[in-house]
Amino acid sequence: MSFIVYDKDCHFPIQNLPYGVFSTADNAQHRIGVAIGNKILDLSVIKDLFNGPILSECNHVFAEATLNSFMALGKPAWQEARVTLTKLLSTDDATLRDNASLRTQAFVDQDKATMHMPARIGDYTDFYSSCYHATNVGTMFRGKDNALQPNWKHLPVGYHGRASSVVISGTPIKRPCGQLKPEDKPPALGACKLMDFELEMAFFTGPGNKLGEPISIDKAQDHIFGCVIMNDWSARDIQKWEYVPLGPFLAKNFGTSISPWVVTMEALAPYTVANEPQDPKPLPYLFHEDDYNFDINLSVTLKGDGANKVVSNSNAKEQTSLGCMLELSWKGTREVDLGNGVTRKFLKDNDEVILSGYCQGDGFRVGFGECSGKVLPANPVP
């Protein structure tokens, strides 16, 4: 239990303690914080309280403007920090609980904070990792008998996105322009007509590796710091024309939204479930013996034209399915009902998409908060 009071539906109990980067109106400096209830614990204020055998020598990482240096310290440092934070925030520890002056300096109301990108992102890879999603999309475009490409069950299928287009939750996303190829007409530049979201999870990694020295699969989990909810915004009509032969490009890199709080893998560990069965079994260098799948309840709410409705409920343990309008409308062949007489096949300008997720504990939730974004009209086509 924590001396910070929160209700059972709060996403940020003491069992969670996710990391983020924030600023306030009276202090524009970006600072590292931990969410607890409806508060943020400013780690730059209490950095000297991280006095364990590892962090006492490098607690300056908590005074930096991003999580990069802390994540680079590796798993033992992450675990030590979690032990320290759990102790400091518990009902049994007086360090913060009974020091009114320090509490005033260290705690910020979440509704008075502005959230920022938690880390500098040098690169990111987007994986086509859900068999259900890949099968659905493949069935739409190639037929049921040829839904999955021959390599799909043998190796990780992915592409590198545009790191500079990754934005924090709440950042508006402008409808992109690109080359479109209508049926029986030549290609032409135009605004995307089939704007979509994708419900995904994203991992932040810590210690890297030297060029040419790969990380073995049995050590991979030691390099994964935590995860966020991600919206991989997609321009389906641009994507359809450009993705052959080298895969997604402009249709996928105009905007990628992430939730601001990074939930650590230590917080998610109690919600580990069995890995999805794989047939055929992966080659040894890709086969991870331990379970590394998680029971995370996920949802998507779509707001538009006065309507407000949850259009997708899924779970990370089942490999997210029906997590985009392409699937929900089955390539635009059916309407998605938003209530109040409002329907959608794809996203319209000024629609807002809100992704959310949590793990359900015994009387508490370990949550991610929200990942939201509103679609803005495209720039005029030249």
Side-chain angles (χ1 to χ4, degrees):
M1 297 291 291
S2 173
F3 63 85
I4 300 295
V5 178
Y6 45 79
D7 63 40
K8 62 183 178 62
D9 293 330
C10 174
H11 277 210
F12 308 120
I14 197 170
Q15 291 85 356
N16 191 349
L17 304 182
Y19 294 90
V21 170
F22 73 101
S23 66
T24 50
D26 62 350
N27 185 351
Q29 176 66 37
H30 290 197
R31 292 106 77 192
I32 295 173
V34 163
I36 177 73
N38 64 356
K39 303 286 187 180
I40 299 173
L41 176 60
D42 187 339
L43 300 194
S44 70
V45 173
I46 65 160
K47 64 182 180 64
D48 292 338
L49 298 180
F50 291 92
N51 52 18
I54 299 174
L55 292 173
S56 60
E57 301 297 321
C58 51
N59 56 30
H60 60 84
V61 299
F62 298 115
E64 297 190 10
T66 68
L67 288 166
N68 293 75
S69 294
F70 174 50
M71 293 193 298
L73 294 177
K75 193 170 184 178
W78 308 339
Q79 293 173 329
E80 184 179 298
R82 182 171 176 82
V83 169
T84 298
L85 286 165
T86 301
K87 179 177 181 293
L88 289 172
L89 290 166
S90 73
T91 55
D92 300 327
D93 192 272
T95 308
L96 289 172
R97 186 196 65 199
D98 295 348
N99 189 329
S101 176
L102 182 56
R103 285 204 317 274
T104 299
Q105 297 175 62
F107 286 102
V108 173
D109 291 340
Q110 287 190 31
D111 60 7
K112 295 181 180 178
T114 299
M115 301 304 297
H116 305 283
M117 289 295 294
R120 297 183 305 275
I121 300 177
D123 193 14
Y124 87 90
T125 303
D126 191 301
F127 291 100
Y128 202 28
S129 58
S130 167
C131 185
Y132 304 110
H133 175 61
T135 299
N136 285 340
V137 175
T139 299
M140 290 178 208
F141 291 99
R142 293 186 299 274
K144 188 174 182 179
D145 295 335
N146 191 31
L148 294 179
Q149 299 283 19
N151 66 349
W152 196 91
K153 291 189 175 182
H154 295 271
L155 52 78
V157 176
Y159 66 91
H160 284 273
R162 179 182 287 160
S164 62
S165 297
V166 182
V167 296
I168 204 69
S169 173
T171 305
I173 299 295
K174 185 164 289 189
R175 183 181 296 269
C177 293
Q179 197 172 117
L180 311 174
K181 176 62 173 70
E183 296 294 333
D184 303 320
K185 292 183 180 180
L189 178 66
C192 164
K193 296 180 177 63
L194 306 182
M195 183 76 165
D196 204 354
F197 63 83
E198 283 193 346
L199 172 62
E200 300 186 5
M201 304 295 297
F203 292 94
F204 279 83
T205 58
N209 56 305
K210 294 181 180 178
L211 185 66
E213 297 182 8
I215 297 168
S216 63
I217 192 69
D218 62 309
K219 302 293 184 184
Q221 69 277 357
D222 295 335
H223 294 258
I224 302 175
F225 175 72
C227 61
V228 294
I229 299 175
M230 187 175 98
N231 185 346
D232 181 27
W233 299 92
S234 303
R236 298 302 187 186
D237 41 2
I238 299 173
Q239 180 183 0
K240 181 181 179 181
W241 175 234
E242 75 176 7
Y243 86 102
V244 178
L246 294 181
F249 183 42
L250 297 177
K252 286 283 194 174
N253 66 16
F254 60 92
T256 303
S257 302
I258 62 171
S259 53
W261 294 108
V262 184
V263 177
T264 65
M265 303 317 295
E266 286 84 1
L268 293 176
Y271 310 99
T272 304
V273 294
N275 294 330
E276 285 279 313
Q278 292 179 267
D279 183 21
K281 185 177 179 179
L283 295 176
Y285 83 102
L286 288 172
F287 184 69
H288 194 272
E289 293 280 356
D290 298 334
D291 290 330
Y292 209 73
N293 195 13
F294 301 92
D295 183 2
I296 306 172
N297 300 290
L298 299 167
S299 67
V300 181
T301 299
L302 180 53
K303 295 182 179 180
D305 292 338
N308 179 350
K309 186 175 181 180
V310 174
V311 294
S312 177
N313 283 299
S314 190
N315 192 296
K317 69 180 180 181
E318 299 161 349
Q319 302 184 37
T320 302
S321 181
L322 300 181
C324 63
M325 295 302 290
L326 181 68
E327 291 179 281
L328 291 166
S329 73
W330 204 255
K331 203 173 67 169
T333 62
R334 58 193 184 211
E335 301 277 0
V336 177
D337 182 17
L338 302 188
N340 297 328
V342 178
T343 61
R344 289 288 187 274
K345 293 182 178 179
F346 291 92
L347 301 177
K348 291 185 177 181
D349 291 345
N350 299 311
D351 281 352
E352 183 180 11
V353 180
I354 303 170
L355 281 53
S356 186
Y358 65 90
C359 303
Q360 184 62 55
D362 184 8
F364 62 88
R365 289 179 173 180
V366 171
F368 293 80
E370 292 185 346
C371 175
S372 67
K374 178 177 283 190
V375 180
L376 298 183
N379 291 330
V381 177

